[in-house]
Amino acid sequence: MSRPSETFRPLLRVRELSVRFRTRGGRDIAAVSEVSFDLAAGECLALVGESGCGKSVLASALLGLLPANARTSGSALLHHPARDAAPGPAGQDRPLDLLAADEATLARTVRGRRVGLVPQSPAAHLTPVRTVGSQLAEIVRELKGLRGKELAEATLAAAARAAFPADHLDRCPHQLSGGLAQRAATALALVGDAPLLLADEPTTGLDRELVERTVDELRAHTDDGRGLLLITHDLPAAERVADRVAVMYAGRLVELAEAGPFFGAPGPRHPYADGLLAALPERDFVPVPGMPPELGDLPDGCAFAPRCARAGAECAQLPVPSDGVACHHPVTTGRSVSASGRREGSTA
Amino acid sequence: MTAAPHPALELREITAGYQRRAPVLRQVSLSVHEGEAVGLLGPSGCGKSTLAKVAALLHRPYAGTVRIGGEAARGWRHRAPRAQRTAVGVVFQQPRLAADPRLTLAALIAEPLRATVRAAEAAGRAAELAEAVGLGGDLLGRRPHEVSDGQLQRACLARALALRPRVLVCDEMTAMLDASTTAALVAVVEDYRRRSGAALLAVGHDRTLLERWCDRTVELDQQSGTRRCTAALRSAPRAPADTTAG
């Protein structure tokens, strides 16, 4: 909605990103296949899909946190945000390929500094035996090089930025509620002023009110000019804050769409995305039949075909993404644009 | 209110928690009738999971009585009499924590059957349960680390249904899961309840889901359960649960 359209300069440009895991049996697990997308500053892209579809592997790949048996291909170019780059000629901004960068570069210049991670399950992300204040101070010291009184002040400011109450800084993680633990983790991610935030299922296990507050806070940081990649299976949360939605199925992006049309009218175009939305309790509450395929044993053609009511002979061929949808038979039935949402219409 | 002589599950004036001086729940009462589905809503930390554990005879309350099918609970956890213990089936929020990592999914589902003398029929019943929750083929031979959260939760639900419980307690069963798996698991529960007439206590914080799923929803108060439950009778539309999972 609020996309800077005049000169679309992506913060992150991912092209043909694939991740393969080699298992001990010699089998290849295709966790992520040929994923391409752009993310601009000030934009929130929600990556949605069933558990085990490769969403979190994608996030790990962008941070160089994959295990040793993973092999990646493609590129993920991280650009400097426009405000840092001099307005001079091109070439000032040399992007960094996150997939090709070595561990030292990632550790010293990327993680926390250029890419902030808001983790899944903050309670597990925080060190259990140290107070939030000491963990936050450590990050501020490492990233900003502050000491003494300045450090204490900067730590307080860092806590305030994520709306973490100052009087809770001397508490250990187990003394915090889920919402406060989430804010503590967000505060850690924001310290380095990273222009790109990766939020990996930041709302799992939180109640609806906290989910909304958490994603609203992430959205506020996005509106400050950061790019946010929100990985989630919580569709209502994605609908609340996302500018664009990327739907992942069996390691591939099957649909990339503007959030407004996707959640509203005319609705999603890929049959899987359509089924996923229809499964919501506020909609049809009907599951997509079957289960996601094994990532180690994917068919040559469309991976969704065995579960798809619209599948035909063409689906034995891998669909080429066009106009944001990778499907031979996208959902096009004329649906009523009523405010009450749609009920029938998706079952062709 | 109802014709049935006893509610399937009755919690009366339950005071429970983890520190005697600061109980999480104080004098909370709740009844679930035969064949009824009740959704228990509340913010995180208000004690709804504690109440679910008390209802499943997994946590001894400081005061109050639990009646299952009209009969007062006589013990808790492993001390509960087998007939009462097996009358309640439980599905927890985190399948990873609720599954023995050494067991295959088939063994996981069959475990309650093997523990209750009915070893002979265990294999057949386990296969039937696996099919009902949509697990098949080589998935059943795998261990928990080899399957996704959704698949493992399906196995945990099958395990909870193995002994044909009269009361099913689902504590945030779907909080970790995506929309499609959620709808599939709810359909499995509703299918079982339609055939068996079992009662359901579904605990969660997703109001939309529970209002769609349950006959009525009950809200646990914010003030750490210091007030009694404010029971709000709602006529929530039931899901069109005719679809069988997978």
Side-chain angles (χ1 to χ4, degrees), chain A residues 50-51 204-208 210 233 276 279-288 290-291 294, chain B residues 43-44 134 139 142 151 154 175-180 183-184 186 205 208-209 212 239-240 246:
Chain A
E50 280 165 288
S51 68
T204 300
L206 301 182
D207 60 46
R208 184 53 44 192
L210 270 174
H233 66 251
L276 206 55
L280 285 172
E282 57 266 48
R283 301 199 184 195
D284 299 352
F285 206 30
V286 173
V288 181
M291 277 200 281
E294 292 298 317
Chain B
S44 47
L139 279 175
R142 296 201 198 167
Q151 289 163 343
R154 284 172 194 256
M176 315 270 295
L177 307 177
D178 60 272
S180 176
V186 168
H205 45 55
T208 323
L209 172 68
R212 181 78 189 253

Side-chain angles (χ1 to χ4, degrees), chain B residues 121-199:
Chain B
E121 58 172 281
R125 174 87 177 121
E128 190 184 302
L129 286 160
E131 198 193 329
V133 296
L135 290 175
D138 64 331
L139 279 175
L140 288 173
R142 296 201 198 167
R143 293 190 166 73
H145 71 275
E146 295 169 303
V147 300
S148 71
D149 279 344
Q151 289 163 343
L152 192 54
Q153 191 67 300
R154 284 172 194 256
C156 289
L157 176 57
R159 178 180 63 179
L161 299 180
L163 299 178
R164 299 189 172 89
R166 302 298 306 149
V167 179
L168 193 61
V169 177
C170 296
D171 184 6
E172 306 255 20
M173 177 176 78
T174 59
M176 315 270 295
L177 307 177
D178 60 272
S180 176
T181 312
T182 298
L185 288 184
V186 168
V188 172
V189 169
E190 287 307 300
D191 187 48
Y192 169 73
R193 291 196 333 106
R194 204 171 329 108
R195 284 187 282 109
S196 68

Side-chain angles (χ1 to χ4, degrees), chain A residues 134-182:
Chain A
S134 83
Q135 296 182 52
L136 197 51
E138 180 186 17
I139 304 281
V140 174
R141 194 169 58 232
E142 287 299 316
L143 294 183
K144 301 262 177 85
L146 300 175
R147 295 287 184 276
K149 205 172 138 215
E150 280 183 311
L151 174 62
E153 279 167 12
T155 304
L156 280 177
R161 244 161 98 193
F164 187 87
D167 57 339
H168 282 55
L169 279 172
D170 57 352
R171 297 203 182 181
C172 287
H174 73 270
Q175 294 169 306
L176 300 175
S177 68
L180 284 183
Q182 184 60 57

